[in-house]
Amino acid sequence: MGSDFSAEIKNSIETLSRGGLILYPTDTVWGIGCDATNENAVKKVYELKQREDSKALICLVANDAMLERHVENIPDVAYDILDLATKPTTIIYDNPIGLAKNAIAQDNTMAIRVASDKFCQYLINKFKKPIISTSANLAGQATPRSFDEIGDPILKGVAYIVNLHHDKKNGPPSSIIKLGNDGTVKIIRE
């Protein structure tokens, strides 16, 4: 692990701890991130993206243990889906716990993904809290396919830009699966 990697983790954590927004590479797209437990930070995400806060956000966790701390009841099928998934998979769970109220959807669900890339896992592990991940574009605009396509309002609107993987093209967007506590499974996006 290079010193650059460590420095980027440190700078990102300092920004997140202050309730600031970071622009960071995730396992899918470049994302705007913040502390998923901090309502003021989440509010800044909606303001920057110019979208209503009734639109649910995704949050990233580092591992199953962190997932279990933030969801009241994880259906067994969730582990099967995550084990079998061949690409990043976001699952929408009922009754999230300890996350910012304004990040949670109106039906009291939260979309959560266990991060699969090294940078996100390290960052979230060290931060010890889930991090919001939403695409780095204004509401209604296309998701940027690489760092070069991210618009000025986003670049200027975040407190810190992670200086890694600027040359990396996005991976495919994650699958999104909704799991009800009653055992229902619904594919929202393949």
Side-chain angles (χ1 to χ4, degrees):
M1 232 173 45
S3 57
D4 292 357
F5 189 93
S6 307
E8 292 305 322
I9 296 277
K10 183 172 166 288
N11 294 340
S12 299
I13 286 176
E14 281 172 6
T15 305
L16 293 167
S17 302
R18 289 197 309 268
L21 305 186
I22 62 169
L23 184 62
Y24 69 120
T26 75
D27 47 2
T28 56
V29 301
W30 270 83
I32 300 166
C34 73
D35 176 350
T37 68
N38 178 332
E39 271 188 62
N40 284 333
V42 170
K43 193 166 162 243
K44 289 179 196 167
V45 172
Y46 291 119
E47 284 167 359
L48 175 57
K49 288 192 60 128
Q50 299 170 14
R51 74 182 225 186
E52 305 142 43
D53 63 6
S54 59
K55 285 260 176 57
L57 297 169
I58 288 175
C59 89
L60 298 181
V61 293
N63 46 42
D64 287 353
M66 189 179 281
L67 173 66
E68 285 156 11
R69 285 202 295 277
H70 290 283
V71 177
E72 192 176 276
N73 172 34
I74 298 173
D76 289 341
V77 66
Y79 297 105
D80 297 336
I81 291 169
L82 294 174
D83 283 346
L84 297 169
T86 52
K87 67 176 198 167
T89 299
T90 302
I91 297 183
I92 301 172
Y93 297 95
D94 285 338
N95 306 331
I97 304 168
L99 297 170
K101 285 190 190 65
N102 53 346
I104 295 169
Q106 285 162 325
D107 60 356
N108 197 31
T109 59
M110 184 79 207
I112 303 176
R113 185 162 79 249
V114 179
S116 56
D117 74 306
K118 198 170 85 166
F119 178 76
C120 287
Q121 283 181 339
Y122 259 85
L123 175 61
I124 299 163
N125 249 327
K126 273 213 145 29
F127 187 53
K128 299 186 173 60
K129 287 190 264 188
I131 295 176
I132 292 296
S133 168
T134 181
S135 56
N137 54 294
L138 300 179
Q141 293 186 355
T143 300
R145 285 190 302 264
S146 63
F147 182 80
D148 296 343
E149 290 187 8
I150 298 170
D152 265 1
I154 300 290
L155 296 171
K156 293 193 174 100
V158 297
Y160 187 70
I161 297 173
V162 172
N163 198 14
L164 291 172
H165 308 306
H166 284 201
D167 51 352
K168 181 185 119 182
K169 288 273 182 276
N170 289 347
S174 68
S175 309
I176 301 180
I177 296 170
K178 192 173 195 325
L179 290 187
N181 279 347
D182 54 1
T184 52
V185 177
K186 188 173 169 201
I187 294 174
I188 309 285
R189 179 171 75 197
E190 281 204 40

